[in-house]
Amino acid sequence: MLDSKNKWDLFGYDMAAIGMHWKRAWYDLLFAIDSPLRSSFDEVVAAQAQSGERCFQSGVEVGSRQATCTAIVLPDDLVLLKTLRLPRFVEDNLTDALALEVNANSPFAADDTRSGWRIVSRTEQGLEVTLAIVSASAAVSYISSVTSSHDAHAQEAWVMADGSPVVIAGFGEAYRESLYRQRLVRIAAWLGASALIVLAIFATSAGIKTFEAGRLEAKFAQATQAAEIASRYRTQLTAANETLTAANIVISNFPNPHQELARLTLLLPDDSHLDQF
């Protein structure tokens, strides 16, 4: 790493291209032919070949199903197939690299050339890619002979390579792509709405808990205030009890003068008086 001439090279990764890697990862997750999302949400395509009709979803044969889209499989004599082995770092710019290969290998005029590709395998050594090149005019002629339609965008054009379909760009694949993107948007909207509902539930629960906590705090403040008042009354009551206890001690230790005065009042005549008691 220290000897690398590229100052953005970290453990063999070009950090300057991290944004491109991130974008490529999201593209592969959402739109690549082997994407796990495509295998579930891509449209079923009825591919019509000379040997019969077969149904595919995300490049995998799925048996007989109701298909939304149609494709015409071009015969082998109209297709130029080439297997490419490329280094792994080319994958971030694979479209541009394959465009150069098409320009270098197409026997047709530039405006009459259509192509498609499919990644067959990924290894540590590199990528194995199947590249298909066709003539647009020859493909349209064959499609019109099969479907009696001269609209090149009414259906897709496919090529079979080792039993797997390769989609030729520039025909009717845009319709299937638009349906797939709309489905992704609906799923994203549904997930976003679900997330908002979950957040609203948590926010409501938090609000209720906050309200209950505030109410409990108010009750605790009232109880604390009542306890302080009760503590003051208990202190006053204790002081009064101590006063009564002291008074009782005084009464028990000293005779009651009222009883003696009452007895003397009965014994002495009315003209008597006391100088000292």
Side-chain angles (χ1 to χ4, degrees):
M1 180 184 70
L2 296 177
D3 296 334
S4 176
K5 295 180 180 179
N6 182 5
K7 65 179 181 179
W8 295 105
D9 186 54
L10 179 63
F11 301 112
Y13 292 95
D14 186 5
M15 301 305 294
I18 191 68
M20 185 179 298
H21 295 317
W22 180 262
K23 182 179 179 181
R24 183 68 191 182
W26 275 106
Y27 179 85
D28 289 343
L29 175 63
L30 297 176
F31 302 111
I33 190 65
D34 55 352
S35 165
L37 294 179
R38 271 197 180 276
S39 62
S40 301
F41 303 120
D42 200 10
E43 299 295 332
V44 177
V45 181
Q48 300 177 12
Q50 293 176 340
S51 59
E53 183 177 284
R54 299 159 65 188
C55 292
F56 291 83
Q57 185 179 26
S58 185
V60 179
E61 188 170 1
V62 293
S64 179
R65 288 190 186 181
Q66 184 177 1
T68 308
C69 304
T70 58
I72 303 299
V73 179
L74 302 178
D76 295 341
D77 56 357
L78 296 181
V79 183
L80 174 62
L81 284 175
K82 186 175 182 181
T83 300
L84 304 175
R85 289 176 174 82
L86 305 172
R88 287 294 300 268
F89 67 84
V90 179
E91 188 170 4
D92 290 334
N93 299 287
L94 186 58
T95 303
D96 297 334
L98 293 178
L100 295 176
E101 288 287 339
V102 171
N103 292 333
N105 294 278
S106 175
F108 313 112
D111 58 351
D112 190 44
T113 299
R114 299 291 184 271
S115 62
W117 53 270
R118 179 187 182 94
I119 297 178
V120 179
S121 64
R122 291 181 175 91
T123 63
E124 294 181 357
Q125 289 73 26
L127 306 174
E128 182 177 343
V129 181
T130 297
L131 178 64
I133 302 174
V134 301
S135 168
S137 57
V140 171
S141 298
Y142 177 78
I143 291 173
S144 62
S145 66
V146 174
T147 63
S148 300
S149 172
H150 296 280
D151 185 5
H153 301 286
Q155 60 280 310
E156 300 183 35
W158 284 12
V159 172
M160 285 296 174
D162 296 330
S164 298
V166 177
V167 180
I168 303 300
F171 291 89
E173 74 281 354
Y175 174 66
R176 177 168 55 87
E177 290 291 335
S178 66
L179 293 179
Y180 176 68
R181 291 175 184 272
Q182 291 174 12
R183 184 166 293 173
L184 287 182
V185 170
R186 289 196 297 270
I187 293 173
W190 182 83
L191 291 176
S194 300
L196 289 177
I197 292 174
V198 171
L199 289 176
I201 292 173
F202 279 111
T204 303
S205 178
I208 293 174
K209 294 297 183 182
T210 303
F211 174 75
E212 291 180 352
R215 188 172 59 180
L216 291 175
E217 186 176 357
K219 288 185 178 180
F220 178 75
Q222 293 177 358
T224 302
Q225 184 178 4
E228 292 177 353
I229 295 173
S231 178
R232 289 198 300 268
Y233 287 160
R234 184 174 62 237
T235 302
Q236 294 175 2
L237 180 60
T238 301
N241 289 334
E242 291 176 353
T243 302
L244 290 176
T245 300
N248 291 330
I249 292 173
V250 171
I251 292 173
S252 62
N253 291 335
F254 298 96
N256 189 354
H258 295 88
Q259 294 180 358
E260 293 299 327
L261 290 174
R263 188 171 66 83
L264 292 175
T265 300
L266 294 175
L267 295 177
L268 296 177
D270 293 338
D271 56 353
S272 298
H273 64 277
L274 295 176
D275 292 333
Q276 187 177 2
F277 179 77

